[in-house]
Amino acid sequence: MRITYGKGLRVSTCHPDAVRLVPPQGTPFAWIQLRTGESSLALCRRALEAGLLLAPGETMGSDAGFRLGFDRDVDTVAEGLRRLDTVLLPDGPPGGDGPSGD
């Protein structure tokens, strides 16, 4: 998990205006705080279009973030983080509306 968490940390440091990674506390999940003003449900819908399943914060009582799981093999998590990286880009995934779109 240490290797995949490190990759997650890299995504958060590459997009400091968009997200902040809250370190996991003994679980295979991390909380990602959104800093864009976009709802987590909207971001998670865009992520799903990119083939990435995230748990929106609305399902856990917050619309300001989402849960990211690290309980997979390193290659699967690395691919998921690569997709998350494209979703967090200002224009979002190809065909997406970007951070301001719902």
Side-chain angles (χ1 to χ4, degrees):
M1 187 167 114
R2 192 174 311 146
I3 293 169
T4 54
Y5 170 72
K7 290 178 185 244
L9 186 58
R10 185 199 62 77
V11 167
S12 70
T13 57
C14 288
H15 302 281
D17 293 336
V19 294
R20 177 182 168 272
L21 178 69
V22 178
Q25 301 295 311
T27 69
F29 305 104
W31 182 254
I32 309 290
Q33 291 178 335
L34 285 173
R35 295 179 165 181
T36 61
E38 178 179 26
S39 76
S40 67
L41 187 56
L43 180 125
C44 289
R45 284 181 177 150
R46 290 191 306 109
L48 191 56
E49 291 174 9
L52 179 62
L53 180 62
L54 300 171
E58 284 85 350
T59 63
M60 294 166 262
S62 172
D63 65 352
F66 57 93
R67 190 172 77 173
L68 180 66
F70 291 100
D71 193 23
R72 295 289 202 196
D73 64 88
V74 172
D75 292 337
T76 300
V77 173
E79 175 60 18
L81 291 172
R82 185 195 63 74
R83 292 178 188 193
L84 178 58
D85 193 48
T86 64
V87 170
L88 292 174
L89 293 173
D91 294 329
D97 293 329
S100 60
D102 280 45

